[in-house]
């Protein structure tokens, strides 16, 4: 992480300090109240739980420091994504999304947005930088993409989209604001699933939208208030706690991912390994320019679906789950969801285990320690 990022993170850790009065708790209180004393509306800090709650506001303050932008909290990553898209696809009716990104965004676009008259165009992540973005399109990208870990050039796409009168949204879930800063690179909005590394303990769903455009932020906030897609106070409280250790967890996870990726790449049983931190990876050059760490996700192939399932079942330090970014190393054969990957493709999310026992377990499960 760059020095500026470290400074932002330190500031985030102390964000409550300046407002604390003597004797008040350092951790934010978990306030789940839906109603607030309201003899009159004028001057009330809180009115009703669907409009704002003190515990979400504590998390929005943290995320706002990390993103260096106003943030709007949502009950899941998909709630954040759908809010961002619904807020901008009113006057704009053309949407470009990655054909190889998180599949639920594609399903949401095809099943819901298309029914509202939006023209949805799918483009592979590697081709979005040269795609036709004319017509004031909303361009939605994910870099590195989940699960293929393909990267695209955010600054270049932002500039092309802006010139064409469009709007760029970046799903930054796989990186978090500590490792990649799409708003600094020219994106109009960031969306993210804080369910992943920011929460970090596989026990909450959460999401947020960040934008420095005051009008866009107001539209997203209005969408949340009117649609009722509001986060719960307990989830916000847990995310606040999770965010406090995000930097140290990411440091371990990224360092271990680099070691594991290098060793997996050298293993004779493994093919088509993708990790942007390897000099041989097709995304390495873009990743090195726009990311301040290579992340904790690795993709690779085993010879068949059966071989992949057997590996996952045999490794005691890989939990078989369909998420990523948690403290436990997790693995999944993504073809089981219909992702456009081979039957033997595995997405690994490296956790915070000490790296040597983790590697030993992986090597042993591969059956041919490399
Ligand atoms: C890249 C990406 N974006 C968004 C989401 C959606 O997040 P949530 O499950 O919190 O709705 C996911 C979930 O896996 C994801 O991988």
């Amino acid at each position: 992480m760059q020095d500026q990022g470290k400074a932002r993170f330190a500031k985030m850790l102390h964000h409550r300090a300046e407002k604390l009065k003597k004797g008040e708790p350092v951790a934010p209180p978990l306030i789940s109240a839906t109603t607030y004393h309201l003899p009159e509306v004028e001057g009330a800090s809180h009115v009703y739980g669907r409009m704002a709650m003190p515990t979400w506001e504590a998390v929005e303050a943290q995320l706002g420091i990390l993103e260096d932008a106003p943030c709007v909290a949502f009950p899941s990553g998909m709630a954040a994504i759908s809010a961002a898209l619904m807020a901008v696809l009113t006057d704009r009716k053309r949407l470009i999304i990655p054909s190889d990104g998180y599949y639920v965004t594609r399903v949401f676009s095809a099943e819901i947005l298309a029914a509202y008259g939006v023209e949805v165009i799918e483009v592979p992540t590697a081709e979005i930088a040269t795609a036709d973005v004319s017509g004031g399109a909303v361009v939605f990208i994910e870099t590195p993409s989940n699960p293929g870990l393909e990267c695209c050039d955010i600054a270049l796409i932002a500039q092309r989209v802006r010139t064409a009168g469009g709007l760029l949204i970046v799903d930054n879930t796989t990186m978090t604001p500590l490792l990649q800063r799409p708003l600094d690179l020219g994106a109009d909005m960031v969306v993210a699933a804080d369910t992943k590394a920011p929460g970090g303990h596989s026990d909450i769903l959460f999401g947020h939208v960040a934008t420095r455009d005051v009008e866009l932020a107001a539209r997203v906030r209005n969408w949340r208030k009117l649609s009722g897609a509001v986060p719960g106070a307990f989830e916000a409280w847990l995310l606040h706690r999770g965010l406090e250790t995000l930097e140290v967890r990411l440091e371990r996870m990224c360092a271990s991912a680099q070691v594991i990726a290098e060793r997996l790449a050298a293993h004779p049983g493994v093919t088509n390994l993708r990790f942007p931190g390897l000099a041989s990876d097709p995304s390495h050059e873009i990743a090195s320019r726009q990311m301040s760490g290579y992340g904790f996700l690795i993709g690779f192939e085993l010879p068949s679906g059966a071989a992949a399932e057997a590996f996952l079942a045999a490794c005691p330090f890989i939990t078989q789950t369909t998420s990523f970014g948690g403290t436990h190393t997790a693995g999944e054969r993504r073809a089981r969801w219909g992702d456009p990957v081979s039957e033997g493709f595995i997405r690994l999310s490296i956790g915070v285990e000490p790296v040597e026992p983790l590697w030993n377990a992986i090597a042993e499960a591969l059956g041919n320690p490399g």
Side-chain angles (χ1 to χ4, degrees):
M1 203 198 307
Q2 289 154 347
D3 288 349
Q4 267 188 338
K6 287 184 194 285
R8 261 191 302 269
F9 195 78
K11 185 173 169 202
M12 183 212 82
L13 276 169
H14 292 274
H15 82 101
R16 281 173 50 77
E18 64 191 36
K19 288 192 196 138
L20 279 186
K21 297 196 192 87
K22 235 183 256 180
E24 282 186 342
V26 171
L30 198 177
I31 299 173
S32 62
T34 52
T35 53
Y36 297 82
H37 183 53
L38 202 65
E40 56 196 26
V41 178
E42 200 77 357
S45 63
H46 295 90
V47 170
Y48 180 61
R50 186 161 30 75
M51 296 170 187
M53 279 196 195
T55 314
W56 320 333
E57 288 168 347
V59 167
E60 287 179 343
Q62 284 180 310
L63 291 168
I65 292 168
L66 295 186
E67 297 279 13
D68 201 6
C71 289
V72 189
F74 283 93
S76 67
M78 278 317 299
I81 289 171
S82 53
L85 290 172
M86 293 303 258
V88 296
L89 289 166
T90 45
D91 40 346
R92 299 169 189 275
K93 291 292 176 200
R94 192 160 180 256
L95 172 66
I96 295 173
I97 54 167
S99 57
D100 51 353
Y102 180 51
Y103 77 104
V104 180
T105 305
R106 287 200 299 280
V107 177
F108 175 75
S109 302
E111 291 188 7
I112 311 278
L113 297 175
Y116 282 89
V118 174
E119 181 196 4
V120 180
I121 301 154
E122 292 189 12
V123 179
T125 296
E127 292 169 26
I128 293 183
T130 51
D132 171 13
V133 293
S134 59
V138 174
V139 178
F140 184 103
I141 59 173
E142 202 181 290
T143 175
S145 60
N146 170 27
L149 304 182
E150 200 69 64
C151 294
C152 55
D153 188 327
I154 299 173
L156 175 63
I157 295 170
Q159 187 237 315
R160 288 193 69 230
V161 170
R162 195 176 316 114
T163 306
L167 212 134
L168 178 65
I169 304 177
V170 180
D171 183 334
N172 202 31
T173 298
T174 52
M175 282 288 102
T176 85
L178 298 193
L179 300 179
Q180 182 168 264
R181 311 194 48 74
L183 296 177
D184 292 351
L185 296 169
D188 296 286
M189 276 202 251
V190 159
V191 293
D194 298 302
T195 307
K196 313 298 178 186
H201 295 74
S202 312
D203 51 12
I204 51 161
L205 287 160
F206 213 91
H208 75 269
V209 176
T211 176
R212 294 174 186 157
D213 181 316
V214 177
E215 201 254 325
L216 284 181
R219 277 207 241 173
V220 172
R221 242 171 236 287
N222 196 42
W223 167 266
R224 179 176 69 180
K225 183 177 79 179
L226 300 181
S227 68
V230 295
F234 183 54
E235 284 74 12
W237 186 80
L238 278 177
L239 178 58
H240 193 281
R241 184 186 169 105
L243 279 169
E244 297 210 332
T245 56
L246 178 61
E247 197 242 358
V248 284
R249 284 184 285 109
L250 279 181
E251 209 167 279
R252 165 65 69 87
M253 289 155 70
C254 294
S256 296
Q258 184 76 37
V259 171
I260 303 276
E262 282 168 11
R263 294 182 188 176
L264 278 175
H267 194 285
V270 168
T271 54
N272 294 327
L273 185 128
R274 292 300 306 264
F275 179 69
L278 295 186
S280 56
D281 191 274
S283 286
H284 183 67
E285 193 266 321
I286 295 178
S288 303
R289 247 189 293 135
Q290 69 186 17
M291 288 151 48
S292 53
Y294 295 110
F296 48 83
L297 294 174
I298 302 170
F300 63 96
E301 288 179 26
L302 293 180
S304 64
E309 296 288 358
F311 162 71
L312 291 170
C315 186
F317 292 159
I318 296 179
T319 57
Q320 295 191 63
T321 67
T322 190
S323 195
F324 58 84
T327 50
H328 305 80
T329 291
E332 179 176 43
R333 198 173 68 78
R334 287 300 299 185
R336 69 181 182 172
W337 297 108
D339 277 347
V341 291
S342 77
E343 286 297 317
F345 175 89
I346 290 172
R347 182 191 65 205
L348 267 193
S349 169
I350 301 300
V352 299
E353 301 88 349
V355 70
E356 290 306 333
L358 176 60
W359 168 250
N360 290 342
I362 289 173
E364 198 166 317
L366 281 173
N368 181 9

